[in-house]
Every structure is written in structure tokens, then in C-alpha cells.
Amino acid sequence: MDVTQIAQLLNQTLSLDGNAVRTSTEALDRLSSLPHFPFALLSIAAGGQNQGQRTAASTYLKNFARRNIEVHDGSSSKVSKEFKAQLMRTLLQAEPSVLKVLVEAFRIIVVAEFVKQNSWPELVPELRSAIQSSNVISNVANCEWSTINALTVLHALVRPFQYFLNPKVAKEPVPPQLELIAKEILAPLLTVFHHLVEKAIATNSRKEMETEKILLLICKCLYFAVRSYMPSAVTPLLPSFCHGLIRILGSLSLDHGDTSEDEYFLRLKTGKRALLIFCSLTTRHRKYSDKLMPDIINCVLKIVKCSSIVSKLDFLSERIISLAFNVVSHVLETGPGWRLVSPHFSFLLESAILPALMLNEKDILEWEEDAEEYIRKNLPSELEEISGWREDLFTARKSAINLLGVISMSKWPSIGSSNNGSSASSKRKKGEKNKKNNQRSVGELLVLPCLSKFPIPSDATASDSRILKDYFGVLMAYGGLQDFLREQKSARTTTVVHTRVLPLYSVSFCPPYLVAAASWVLGELASCLPEEMSADIYTSLLKALAMPDKEDTSCYPVRVAAAGAIAGLLENEYLPPEWLPLLQVVITRIGNEDEENIILFQLLNSVVEAGNENIVIHIPHIISSLVDAISKSIHPSLEPWPHVVVRGFEALAVMAQSWETFVLEEVEQNDSSEKQASGQAAIARALSALLQQAWLTVPLEAEASPPPSCIDHSSTLLRSIILSVTGSNVIVELKLPELLLVWADLISDWHAWEESEDMSVFDCIKEVVSLHSKYGLENFIVRQIPPAPAPPVPQRSIIEAISAFVSEAILQYPSATWRACSCVHMLLHVPNYSCETEGVKLSLAVVFSRAAFSHFRGVRSKPCSLWKPPLLAIASCYLYYPDTVEAILEKEEDGGFATWASALAFACSRSSGIGLPAKSEIKLMVMTLVKMIERLLGVGNPSSGLLRDCFTSLIETSIQLKELDEEMEDEQNDEESEDDDNNDDDDEEEIQDDDEESESEHEETEEEFLERYARAASALENGIVEEGDAEDQDLEIELGTLEEVDQQRIILSLIGRYHHALIQGQALSSQLVSNFINAFPDCSSFFQQSIQSRVQRVLPFVSKELSQSESGTSLLYYLVSVLTKVETMIKELKEALCFVLSVEFWRIAILWTISLLTSYFQLHSRRLFSRKAQSYPRCHPPISESLGPVCVITGATSGLGAAAAHALSREGFYVVLVGRSSHLLSKIMTDIRTQTEDACVRAFEVDLSSFQSILEFKGSLQQWLLDCKMDSSIQLLINNAGILATSSRLTPEGYDQSLPALTLMLNTCTSLYIICFLNQTVSKLYLPGCKKVNILHFL
């Protein structure tokens, strides 16, 4: 491969010519399959002609690694040792721009090779050597390696460990890779960290930029190392390191003013990282940080004092103050932390928290220039558009409010008079029980009195800016007290709101920012507001919601804050006394500005969802008003639609669903009226007009089509229109055929899939099919050819476009599988197809069967419950066109029809565990199995296994259908009595529920949370949480005209026509036939001959007359079933007797037991009868000059294997652990290294029940010995792996995992070692029976 050619192609990718870029990229993609291509990219990245070429090579290498390096547990390494070595050299010498890109490729390789597989043993030693010999650490001027580059590589190496690697483990130990990094690299770095800090602080000049960068990188590396784990090598160095961080924070001058200097900017970033480390230590690793808390608190208290000048600080400086507040909060939540922070409560409140909350010049400027940003920072709410700091904003005000809430919730030690000792002793238990109730909170004793000192603005003080700005901070503080006020009596909240918040709405010249803050406070306190204040609160908020803009000041944030507060109140079920005033204000405000309309539409959604029956009577009028407002913003040429239109359609969809629920309740109560009918008609006309403007303004014949916006909400609106149809004239009036054509075309090409959106589309499909069945829709099955001058090209009909959407859903979207497959049944069975339209039905069957079978092939290896939807979809297609479906399945896969038929038969059986809860599913299965059996019998092979499986499943499914019919009859008969019983027990159930809720209310501990999280992660990985919702799986499928088919008649007809081939040729179980005869007595005559033959075989003395009589059939068959069980028992007893008489039984069960008992007797007899216990010197293995002896232990994760690993590691062996579980291997390695610090341990994940896995292990072991420059031999092999197989299970190679198979595998492992290390001498081979311990001692 020519490196120059690749360099030229990379240069062409930087060209401004698009064709040249595309051509060169395609050429590079073709060359990427060559083995030396990544080496060439590294060469160019290290020594390219110019920076652009080097950066391009690094970028392509990053993308190449992302595409080609996949992480699979247990898979072998794909990256060669030579490439990894060259990559390390390039990283250590690369320029900053190239290093920034190249380190991303390194991170991808690290995750695959080091984190997941731990197959890069030389990485840590090489990186440690590079750091030690780098320019700054070694203090050598002309050094080959750059310290900053080496630490950047270390940063990329440690970064994957910032999160837990195995979420399935509740308490995950420190990964051995991170322990190795900490021991070899981080610990030595921390020892020199203090000197680097002193050097940086002592010399404040530009030449120390490199030192500042090194300090920042070290802090980043340690932050990622301790964010989730705590490596043992780091813990003893934490005090010294933290004191260095405190020195760095102490050197910061946040009032420095100018942060443009690079070295000071780096110092600020290091300070930010130091505070993040303190947060991690105080939350995740308390036992290591308790002694450091006094110094940490003293440090951060100096930082939070600067909150008074936060308006003059840049973002990074404000972020440091925010983090300092967070550190105080975390420390305060700990036991020792409260004692440290509580003496500073007054200082924090008056000198740090309140100054951070008060209004400043930056806030006023932001209000005027960027109101949206001001709202997100200062007035966040539940509305999506103004979620603010609930997501990712980090401001000093946010952190100060959080700290104030923590302080308010703190309990002050109770102070009371002490009585005599006997009285105190007698009341001790009761006092301990009520201890928390007797303690008063800091919020009650300190916070509220402090806030009450600030006077509330009035008309007389409206011009005093100091009072206004201070009171803004007071309102912000009240907003952070919701948890504290929730625990207090409602009278305290009433006092605060009545005297400190609501009066602001009555001040004539109250500044808008105070009104906005007051509205935000009401929204924050929604969960603790008393009901009696509802009228006053909603009156005030409606006044703010309707507040117009003033001359020079926009009141948009005031209205937004009021909308957010009302939404918060409704979310907490704090409802207004009257709904109509609220609706009037909201509807009146809609239509002014798009930004405000977006907020109002979201508020309207909350109002409609919370109002229910109070709102629903106004919905027709509201929809008509909204349609007029939305129509003004719809421009068919715009793609996609404006955000305000999307929010408007969402609001209309919510109201349409609420109206539908209301109508259904009215119908159930037989209370429908003309008013309800006229309301439905008004809604339909308004929505139809809106969709016509959105979709039909573009001519259908034109090439342009409406934008695919709001498909989900549009489907809901279209469904609401369909539900209003009462006749064919209404369909024409509402232009439903035209709207449905556009809608079907839109969904056929729609790929913006979301799980929450597919519901409305599928629901609309169901209503469209139902509408066609009632009235017949134009262009539904066959679309008319458009008139001239349009070209006479046939276009897709409605059902064809819908089928394209359904088939794509089956293929691409797992969450929609159940609903999409339900649509398959509906589209095939419900419409009435004529001879002229039969071709359309055939095309649908072809598309659906192909998509369903493709989906089935994808889930075939997953749990069987995922098979049912595609299997049933193919079954519906097969009923109509068996020849076509068989051809399609065979074309998709050799033996595809047999695969599907076998899976279908298995799904019907009770042993599959899939289950058919819906009666329509069972009916479809019965009809499909009958059709399949008839065709298989036509082939002429009645003894085939597929036919036997299908007939057995048909019998089981028929019995299940009969049982379901009987259960439904019983339920109908018992319905009235059950209702009476339920009514009688309602009160008792409510009382019981209340008791259960009170008992279950407890705070989840950290251990409980981690265990629950681990269980959820394990379930997710095992595929338990899979496709579709549980509700979807119980849906009845639409069978249309097939519902009229008598399943019992077709079953009896099939058995009557083919009973000789079906019954005589199949080995049906006695119990199955007995159950079938009980369910269908008319079929007993067909089984007479089978019963007679079996009775004559088992009971030859029974007379032929008894067996032929109708009354004796059941008795004879009962005898057959009993005697069959007896035969089975006799057969099992014979097998057991043969095993007892076998040599293996006597050798293992008798002789081995005797030998063990003899050994124990000899051992204990020496202790009992010898006067002096004999001791034997420990026999140490021979140790080579360079390394200790190598020992391989299989089954080393527990029991004898783990004990041997611990013992041999203490004796100086290099222990190689072999096991199936990577997690258990990691745990045992950590335990060994904890007990023996200098232990040499290596782990390999191997499945000893698989020949292939053993062979791969042999190669991996040989390669590891070579890579580590060790002698290619082992000195000890302990074959300890074994299982206790309670049932017959096959290995991947088809062997049974029993004792012989285990012996075979272990002998294979031993043989491979003997072959692999043939040049060694076997001195001893010990084979003690079942638990093989093969000890190979090589001289």
C-alpha cells in the first residue's frame, strides 16, 4: 500500500469541490479493507506534509476505529499489538490539534481492548514508563515524550471508568484494570502533585502554562477514577492530594476581573475540577472524606462569599461558586458535616445565599435583551419550553436555592429542661420515638425570621431599587422552601403566601420581575398550598397571565411565569374553584405572538387534562377558536411546520381525546343528547377545515406534497372526524376520502418513529377500516386514475399506502410489532374484496408475509413470546394464499415454510409458554393448522414429524378453545353475583389499601436502590423488557368474516376425512386424546380403532365387545392411560437398576466414598492416637531466575478453585484463573490482590463445556506468554471446573453436560496443555475420581 496515495486522497477530502471529496472518500473506503491501511493513517498523522493533512488522517482513523472495532464480550482481539504500539508512540509525540482527534480513536480501542476484554497487558506499563520519562516529570529539556500528551492519553484511559461498568451488580467492586492504573500511574502522580502545586502557585508567569495544564489533567484523571469507584492505591494519598486542591482553590481570585489570561483560565478550570472531586468524595466515598471535611468547608466558605459580585463574574467563575454551594449541601447532608456547617448558618444565609439570590444588573439586562434565557435561568417550571435549571443549567442562584432548602430541612438539637433521673428513665422509649417531632428545624428558627426582616414593597416604596432587588431574593428563597413548608402546618404556608407573596399583585406600580418571581413561587409551593387559598391564588395568577406589556418593559416573562405556575398547580391537583375564567383568559391570549402561543398551548393541555368533565362541555367552542388561530400560522410550503403549529395540533389532539372519552361515558350511561351530537359535528367541521387547509391546498396531482409534520396528532384529529360520521353525506361534506388519501401517503413515507406516537396512527387505521366497512370509501382499495391533464398513472390506494406503513413498522420498529401485526389481520379480513380487487389483497399478503417472516427471523433466537405477532400475521396471509406464502417463505430461506410451520405448531402448544389469551388468536390458529394439515396430507407423507406436530397442536388448541368458551359462559353467569360481592367489599378494600400505603411509605436506602437497579439492568439485557406494551399483547385481533367460521365443524370435518392417516399414524399422548374426547364427545368414534389397538396391546384379555361399546370407551381409555404410566415407571426402574449394577456406579458411589472415608480415618487417627502431631515442611515450587512458576486453575471463581488461587498466589505462583463469568473472575482477582499486594494474577473467560472455547483459550494463553516474554510453559495445572447437572443439557458441540462429558472436556484441556508444552516433562498426574484435580509439575 502506498502511503503517498492515501495522503493525496486525504488532501482531496479537504477540497471545496464536492465531487472530489466524494470520489476521494469512496477510494479511501475501498482501501480501508487492506490490513496496513490504519498503519498508513498513523504514519500520515505523525508526519504529514501539513497540519490539515495530519488532522484529516487522524479524523479518518477515528471514524475507521468507530466502524470496525466492535465490543463483544468474550470475543478475541482485533487490533494487533504492533498497531497499538505505533498508536501509543504517535500519541505521545503528536501536536495538540492532532492529539485532540487521535485520542478519540485511542479511546475507542481502549474500551474494546482494555476495559471490556482486558487484553492489552502492556498498555499500563508502557504509559507509566512514558510519563516517568516525559519532559516535565523527568525534568529533561529535550525529552522524547511530552508530559501533557502522556497525561492526555491517561485521561482517555481512565475516562471509561467514571461510570459503573456492570449495572447488573448491586455493589460492583473496583475493576482490576482501574486498580492497576491507580497503583502503577495515579499513585506516583499524586506523590508529585503537591510539588507541582507549589511550583504553579509560587510562579505566576506565562512560562508555567505547562504546569497549569498538567495540574488540570491530573485532576481530571483522578475525578474520573473516584467518581464511581475508589481504587485502594489512591486512598492513602487522598489527604495530601485534597490539601493540594485546597491550595489551588485558595489561590483563586474570583474578583480578579480579567480571566482572559490563559494560565488563570486554566487555574479556574482546575478549581472547578477540584470542587467536583470534593462533591464525589462527600457523596460516594464518605469514609475517606470525613476527616477532610473541616478543611474542605473552610475552603468553600471563602469561595461562596464572592456570591455578592456574581453579576460581574464570567460563566466559569460563577460555576465555581455554584459548585462551592453544592459542596456545602453535600457535606451538610452527612452526619459529621452538620456539626461543621451549622455554626456558619447565619453567615451562609446573610453573606452568601441571599446575595446570590438578589436581583442584579445582569438579570435586568437579560430581561430586556433575552427574555427566554432569563426565564430558563430564573423562572423554571414544568412546561417543556421553560424547564430551566431542572435540566442542565448550573447557576449560583440555583445552587444557593438548593442549599437553602437543605439548611431549612436540618433539625436543630432539641433543648429542654431535665427532670429527675427516674422520670427521664421511665420516659426514655417514648422520648426516643418522638424525638424527631420535638426537634425544631433550622427553617423555622433561622430562615423564616431572617427573610421576614426584609420589608415587602408597597406603593410608597415602589421607587426604592434596593428594597425591590432585595425582595426579589426573598421571593427566590421562598421558592426553595417547598420541602420545609410541606412538613409544616398549613397555617405557616398560609401566612407566608398571604402576607409575603399575594400582596405584590395589588401594588399599583410593582415591577414586573417581582410579579414574575411571585408567580414562580406559587408554582413551586403547589404541593403545600392549603385549599382555602385556591380562589385568591388563581385570581392573582390570572391577573399576571393577562398582564399587558408596559411602555418600555416587556411583561412576557410575567405571563410565562404565571402559565408555568398554573401548570404546576394543576399537576399537583390544586384545582381552581371555577374553570371558565381560566379558559377565557387562556383563549383570549392565544393568537398574539407565536412564542407566547407555544406556552399557552401547553398550558391549555394541562387545563384540559386536569379539568375533565368541567372543561369538556366547552371543548367544541375552544376547538373552533384554536383552529382559527392555528390556521394563521400554517403555510403549506414550509417544511416542517412552525413550532407553534405543532403545539397547536398537540393541544387539539388532547381536546379531541378528552371529548371522545366524554362521549363514550355518555353512551355508556345512555345520556347522549342533541347538544353532544351538535358538539361532535362542530368539532368535526372545524378539524376537517384545518386539515384541508394543511393538506389539500397543495393539488394532489402536483409533485409537491404536504410536509410530514404532526403525523401523530393529525391522526388523532382525523380519527375524531371519522367518529363523527353518521352517513355517506357527512363523508362527502367533510372531504374524508381526500384527507385519507393524503394521510395514507404521509404515513407510508413516515420514518420519524417514536413509541408514544405510533398509538394514534394505528388507532386511526382501525377507524378507517371500520368506516370503509360501514359506508364504503372512495379510493380505499383501488385508486381511480386521475383525470386529464394529469398522466394516467395508477397511484396507491388508501389501503396500499397503509400496508406500506404497516410492513415498515413490522420490519423497523420493535415497539410497534404487536399493533402492526394486528393491522395485518384487520386489513386482510375486514374489508370486502371483490374479484376485481382480489389482486390488491394478494399484494398485501405478499408484502405482509415477507415483512413478518423477516421480523420472525430476527427474533427467532430471543424469548418465544416475541414469536407470536409475526407468526400470526403470516397465518392470516396463509389462509388466503397458501401457495404464494409458501413460495415466499422458501425464497426468503431454505426450508422457510417448515421453519414457520414448526414454530407455529410449537407456539400453539402449552409447553411453549407463549399462551393464546385472546379467543380470536385461538380461532386463527385452529383455521391455519387445519389448512396446513390438509396441504401436508396432500403431499402424501402422513408420518412426517411436521404433520405430527401440527396435528398435536391442533388438538391442544381445540381443547383450549373449548375451555375458553366454557369459561366465558361461566363468567357471564357469575357476573351479577361478583358485582354484589365487590360492592360489599369496597369499604374494606379501601381501608386495607390505606393501611398498605402507610406501611409501604419508607425511604429507599442506597443498597435497595442499587439492588433494584441491578435487577432492572439484568432484565433489560436478558430481553425481558422487549417489544410493545403489555396492553397490546392482550388485544383481540380482527377476523372479519372469519368470525362466522365454525371451528368445531372444520375440526370434525378434518378428522372425519383423514382420521385414518391422522390418528393411526400419530403417537398422541393418552392424556391429550382423553381431554379431546371429553371436550368433543362426537369425535370419540374416530379414536375407537386407536383405543382398541392400544387396549389389546396392553390388556389382551379384554373382550372385543367391551372395547367396542360406547359406554366402555372412556373406561378403556382410562385403563390405557394408567397402564401407560405403569409402563413408563417400569422402564425408569429398569434404567435405574442397570445404573446400580454398572461399574461406574460402584466406582464413584461406593469405592470413591470408601476411599474418602479411609483417608479421613487415617488423618484423624494420627491426631487421636499419636502423642505428638507430625508436621511436614511446605514444599515450595522451583522458582526461575526471572519470574515465579505459572499455575493454571480452571473453575477458579469459587470453592476449591478460589481457595487454591489464594494459597498459590501467596506462595509466589503466577496464577492464571479460568472461568465462565467475567464478573466473578474480576471479583476473585480483586480479592487476591487485596490480600496479597504483590500477587501476580491473570484471568481468562473460558467455557470448558465447549471445544471451540478451549481451543481459543489455548491460543490466547500462548500469545499472552509470548507477549509477557515469559517461558512458554506452565508448572501447574489444576482442573477444578465442574457442574452438577440436574437435567440433560447439551453443550454447543452436542455433548451432554454430565459426568462423562465433563471428564471429556477436562481431559481435552489437559491434552491440549501436554501438546502445547510438549518440551516439558510430566512428573505427576493425579486423578482422584469425580472432582478431577490434574496437577502437572514440570521440572
Side-chain angles (χ1 to χ4, degrees), residues 22 60 165 184 217 280 631 661 684 737 789 935 952 1116 1158 1186 1264:
R22 185 164 48 256
Y60 198 93
L165 299 181
E184 299 295 328
L217 286 170
S280 296
S631 300
T661 304
R935 294 183 61 82
T952 303
L1116 290 176
T1158 303
S1186 58
W1264 171 70

Side-chain angles (χ1 to χ4, degrees), residues 371-385:
E372 297 283 350
E373 185 68 14
Y374 178 88
I375 293 169
R376 277 190 289 270
K377 283 185 177 180
N378 303 291
L379 307 171
S381 73
E382 297 295 335
L383 298 179
E384 293 181 12
E385 303 296 328

Side-chain angles (χ1 to χ4, degrees), residues 1-10 36 39-41 43-44:
M1 179 185 296
D2 189 2
V3 177
T4 306
Q5 178 188 0
I6 296 177
Q8 292 175 354
L9 292 173
L10 290 171
H36 294 286
F39 291 92
L41 290 177
S43 300
I44 299 171

Side-chain angles (χ1 to χ4, degrees), residues 41 258 275 384 469 572 745 844 868 916 964 970 1106 1147 1277:
L41 290 177
D258 182 17
L275 291 170
E384 293 181 12
K469 292 180 179 179
N572 285 272
D745 286 335
L844 297 185
K868 186 168 66 172
L916 301 173
L964 188 60
D970 294 339
L1106 180 60
R1147 182 174 64 86
L1277 168 65

Side-chain angles (χ1 to χ4, degrees), residues 8 58 61 169 194 229 617 912 921 947 1004 1053:
Q8 292 175 354
S58 303
L61 182 61
V169 180
H194 180 71
Y229 305 100
I617 58 175
S912 66
E921 293 178 349
L947 178 61
E1004 187 178 34
S1053 175

Side-chain angles (χ1 to χ4, degrees), residues 998-1131:
S998 61
E999 291 176 1
S1000 63
E1001 286 181 358
H1002 71 281
E1003 186 176 356
E1004 187 178 34
T1005 63
E1006 181 181 1
E1007 290 76 11
E1008 291 173 342
F1009 167 76
L1010 292 175
E1011 291 177 0
R1012 178 169 58 83
Y1013 182 81
R1015 290 194 298 269
S1018 179
L1020 183 63
E1021 182 173 320
N1022 294 333
I1024 297 175
V1025 182
E1026 272 292 347
E1027 306 169 2
D1029 297 331
E1031 297 178 358
D1032 296 341
Q1033 301 178 18
D1034 295 333
L1035 292 176
E1036 287 279 353
I1037 60 177
E1038 296 284 345
L1039 294 180
T1041 56
L1042 296 181
E1043 289 282 1
E1044 302 175 0
V1045 177
D1046 187 352
Q1047 280 76 26
Q1048 181 174 350
R1049 184 182 60 81
I1050 64 173
I1051 295 171
L1052 296 178
S1053 175
L1054 175 70
I1055 297 177
R1057 285 179 290 143
Y1058 302 106
H1059 66 277
H1060 293 289
L1062 291 174
I1063 299 175
Q1064 302 301 327
Q1066 312 302 330
L1068 300 176
S1069 67
S1070 305
Q1071 187 64 40
L1072 182 62
V1073 176
S1074 178
N1075 293 339
F1076 183 78
I1077 292 176
N1078 292 332
F1080 302 97
D1082 297 340
C1083 293
S1084 60
S1085 59
F1086 299 127
F1087 292 87
Q1088 287 265 341
Q1089 187 175 354
S1090 175
I1091 293 174
Q1092 292 174 15
S1093 61
R1094 298 187 67 174
V1095 168
Q1096 292 296 329
R1097 178 173 57 84
V1098 180
L1099 299 174
F1101 53 83
V1102 176
S1103 65
K1104 187 177 296 184
E1105 291 78 7
L1106 180 60
S1107 63
Q1108 290 178 350
S1109 64
E1110 294 182 1
S1111 60
T1113 301
S1114 300
L1115 176 60
L1116 290 176
Y1117 209 90
Y1118 172 74
L1119 292 174
V1120 170
S1121 61
V1122 171
L1123 293 175
T1124 303
K1125 293 180 180 179
V1126 172
E1127 286 181 335
T1128 305
M1129 293 176 60
I1130 294 174
K1131 183 179 178 181

Side-chain angles (χ1 to χ4, degrees), residues 25 93 111 227 1060 1314 1337:
T25 303
Q93 296 175 326
V111 171
R227 186 176 181 182
H1060 293 289
I1314 295 174
H1337 183 195

